[in-house]
Each structure stands twice: as C-alpha cells, then as structure tokens.
Amino acid sequence: MHLNKPLIASFIASVLLSCNGAPSSEKNLFSLETGLKNNRIQSGEPFKVSLGNPGNKPVEKISYYFMGQQLMPEQDSLSLSPEKLGEHTLEAEIITDGDTVRIAEPITILAKNSPKVYTYSIVNEFPHDRNAYTQGLEFHNGVLFESTGRRGQSTLRKTDFKTGEVLEEIPLEDQYFGEGITIMNGKIYQLTWQKKTGFIYDLETLERKGSFQYGQSKEGWGLTNDGTKIYKSDGSDKIWILDPETLKETDFIQSVTNTSVFNKANELEYVDGLIYANVWLKDSAMIIDARSGAIIGVIDFRGLKDKVAQHDDLDVLNGIAYHPERKTFFVTGKNWNKMFEVTISEK
C-alpha cells in the first residue's frame, strides 16, 4: 500500500483575470510567488507569499483572497486552514496605475497529520456467493443488501448474511455494470459504472421507481449516506455530495493525505462522521473525515483474500458494510466465497 504518491494531475497554470478589462500584456506582468514545492502546503502551516513584478510596475495596493474571503497576511506570511482540504485558488488583487488587476494561483491544502495504520480481527466467517462480483454492501434492519457488477450479470440483492442465501434478486439490463448502493428514506440507490445513470428502488419491494443522471462526476463507483446527504465516489480524488431529493451533485470533498491528493476511493460506508472506503485494487481501506476529506487512517486487510477459495475468477477485496447493532464491519471481495465480520483497531 502506498499513500505517499505524487499528485495525479499536474496543476493548471496561473489564471489571470482583470476586473476592468486591463490588457493581457499588462496582467502578465504580475505573478504570485509562494515558494512552495508544487504549490502544496499542509493545513495551517504558514508560508511566505510575494508578488512577482519583473516589469517593476508601480503597485499602489495588493490584497489577497482565499475562498472568497480577504486575507490579512502578517509580514507577507499566510496560513490557510479551510474546512475542506484539497485544491483551491489563492488570488491577489493589485491596483497599479489606477487599474485593478486580479491574478490567481492554484494551491493544494493537505492534511495536517499522516494517516494512522489500523488492522483487523476476524469475529466470524459467513458464506458468500462465489459468483457475486461484489460492488456494494449495506445493512438495513439486520438484512444485507448487495449490488453486483459485470455487464449481463449485474444485480441488486437482498441476502441473509448468516447463510449467504439470496432472498431476492433484481437483474440489471445487460448494458449496465452495477456499482455501489446506499439506503435512505425507504429507497435504495444504485450506481452503474460508465453509463452515468443510477437507479432508485423501493426498499421493501425492490421495485425500480426511477433513475437519475450524473452531473460532473466521471463514473459511478461507491455510495453511502449520513442520513441527510449522499456521498458518491467516481474514481477521482473527489467524493461528491448529492442532494437525496434531486440526486444532483451539490458539492464535493477531496481525499488527501498529509503529502498528496489521493484518487482510489471505491466502495463507501459512512459511520459516525467518517467514510470508510475500499482502496481500488488494494487489500486496504481508507478512513476519511467526511467534512474535510482528510485521510485519517488506513486499514490493512491483507491476509483476508488468502482465506477464501482460490479460483480463476477470484478478484480483489471490495465491499464494506457496518452493522450498527453488532458494531462490527462486514467485508468481502469480488467472487469471494466468504464474507468476514471484523473489528478494527489501531496497530
């Protein structure tokens, strides 16, 4: 498992904006200099900021802005502690020769602390359908609901977790690749992978009641909710926040460590202000602060895959669900013949 990775996408160049239509040649005389490597800084850490002015244009006044708020630097030193971490924009407003020029520089605010490392203890092992390409798991009133993937094989299921029996199953049309699910307000929401379409089902009957389209999110990966908002992963560093009534993407958090932005969140589970997210293609899960996006912990699930039947279709760890009454997590994988009930503790 490697969390200390470079940023996946290179930063966009400085954006130069003028409030009064100043000529671009004039705007290009200024730049923001932060002195930060790749313009990255940990939350709350002070840094120096200066104005690049190679043409020695007269500067009557300079003001700095971050997330719409004016900053008051102390001796040209700034400290940024936004509620939501990740990529933001630092702006400067410059008054020169009676003109007002605005320039901007992208800056990435990282988590203050490195993630803690957690491990697991197995409480129980339960049967699981070996043919289930597990994409989403969620408990509701002691019943386990599961979404499975692959085109032509995708389903929404209601299962008995103790026996592995599929109690009820709804197939998806062949063009859809099932992904994550979540349950809220008497409805089941299910994502599909690349069709930018999600489905809505009645919780009791599993009857499909409608569908919804994705907005800016790239794909459908994982879903969870906190009782008021739905969270959606899409394979990028963003976890999107959806309005449960309209299913519109209203906001997002970015998953970040103390060193980089991270883009591997897959299946999701919300518990007490934290989002537990399977790491795509890894035997691990992240613990993400649902407000800030900070990755505060990593769960090492290595060894579980060795405990299931080994066969040609065996695939990666995927699927994490919290059982609120038992206060344990249930985890499995794609085409695993077992599901594991585990507790999680710091190493």
Side-chain angles (χ1 to χ4, degrees):
M1 174 177 52
H2 301 284
L3 287 178
N4 296 342
K5 295 183 177 181
L7 294 175
I8 305 302
S10 60
F11 289 115
I12 60 174
S14 299
V15 180
L16 302 180
L17 301 171
S18 174
C19 294
N20 64 348
S24 60
S25 59
E26 180 177 284
K27 291 183 288 182
N28 290 337
L29 290 174
F30 298 108
S31 64
L32 275 178
E33 308 293 340
T34 66
L36 301 173
K37 184 178 180 180
N38 295 325
N39 275 0
R40 296 186 296 175
I41 188 75
Q42 290 179 353
S43 179
E45 185 176 335
F47 64 96
K48 294 287 186 179
V49 62
S50 60
L51 182 69
N53 183 10
N56 292 318
K57 291 280 290 183
V59 175
E60 300 164 32
K61 183 181 178 181
I62 179 170
S63 303
Y64 296 102
Y65 296 87
F66 184 72
M67 299 184 70
Q69 300 294 318
Q70 185 173 356
L71 304 174
M72 303 302 293
E74 298 182 5
Q75 298 181 342
D76 295 324
S77 180
L78 297 178
S79 178
L80 306 176
S81 301
E83 181 180 87
K84 294 179 181 178
L85 304 177
E87 297 178 5
H88 295 282
T89 301
L90 178 65
E91 295 180 285
E93 182 179 88
I94 304 135
I95 299 178
T96 173
D97 287 336
D99 290 327
T100 301
V101 177
R102 291 183 75 94
I103 61 174
E105 186 73 13
I107 189 167
T108 300
I109 313 299
L110 301 171
K112 188 174 183 178
N113 301 310
S114 59
K116 295 181 179 179
V117 179
Y118 292 79
T119 188
Y120 64 92
S121 297
I122 297 174
V123 177
N124 284 302
E125 297 181 8
F126 297 106
H128 180 251
D129 180 6
R130 198 180 96 162
N131 295 316
Y133 195 78
T134 304
Q135 298 290 80
L137 292 179
E138 186 156 338
F139 278 101
H140 181 78
N141 292 338
V143 178
L144 184 65
F145 292 79
E146 181 171 5
S147 173
T148 70
R150 288 186 170 163
R151 291 182 180 89
Q153 302 177 38
S154 296
T155 65
L156 173 65
R157 301 175 170 191
K158 183 187 295 186
T159 68
D160 182 334
F161 75 87
K162 292 182 179 179
T163 65
E165 179 186 0
V166 178
L167 304 175
E168 196 168 350
E169 180 178 85
I170 302 297
L172 273 67
E173 293 85 349
D174 287 353
Q175 69 266 34
Y176 294 112
F177 192 117
E179 287 282 349
I181 56 170
T182 197
I183 299 170
M184 188 176 177
N185 299 331
K187 300 173 183 176
I188 304 173
Y189 301 90
Q190 182 184 34
L191 298 176
T192 65
W193 181 24
Q194 295 177 319
K195 294 295 185 180
K196 295 186 76 69
T197 300
F199 296 116
I200 306 168
Y201 303 85
D202 181 270
L203 174 60
E204 298 303 323
T205 65
L206 298 191
E207 180 184 356
R208 187 184 294 175
K209 292 295 187 179
S211 64
F212 59 96
Q213 300 300 306
Y214 307 161
Q216 298 181 67
S217 60
K218 295 179 179 180
E219 297 178 348
W221 285 40
L223 273 186
T224 190
N225 77 84
D226 63 3
T228 59
K229 301 184 295 293
I230 294 175
Y231 299 86
K232 173 184 184 292
S233 62
D234 69 344
S236 72
D237 57 89
K238 295 180 177 65
I239 295 177
W240 298 87
I241 299 172
L242 279 58
D243 182 312
E245 295 300 321
T246 65
L247 283 305
K248 301 293 185 183
E249 296 157 3
T250 60
D251 204 352
F252 60 84
I253 58 173
Q254 298 172 74
S255 52
V256 301
T257 68
N258 59 316
T259 61
S260 67
V261 178
F262 199 68
N263 69 340
K264 300 295 184 183
N266 197 0
E267 221 274 277
L268 308 178
E269 181 76 347
Y270 179 95
V271 184
D272 297 333
L274 302 174
I275 296 173
Y276 293 75
N278 286 139
V279 179
W280 185 55
L281 298 182
K282 298 289 185 181
D283 292 330
S284 61
M286 297 180 283
I287 305 175
I288 303 168
D289 185 293
R291 290 177 63 87
S292 68
I295 301 172
I296 64 171
V298 178
I299 309 167
D300 183 354
F301 279 122
R302 285 178 298 180
L304 281 182
K305 190 176 179 181
D306 298 332
K307 299 180 183 296
V308 305
Q310 306 297 300
H311 57 92
D312 290 342
D313 290 330
L314 184 66
D315 213 317
V316 297
L317 174 87
N318 197 46
I320 182 167
Y322 182 69
H323 195 299
E325 289 75 33
R326 299 164 74 106
K327 300 189 183 304
T328 55
F329 287 89
F330 284 67
V331 293
T332 188
K334 301 176 181 184
N335 301 123
W336 288 22
N337 72 329
K338 292 181 182 180
M339 181 175 294
F340 299 90
E341 182 181 10
V342 302
T343 57
I344 295 167
S345 58
E346 188 176 347
K347 270 190 175 181

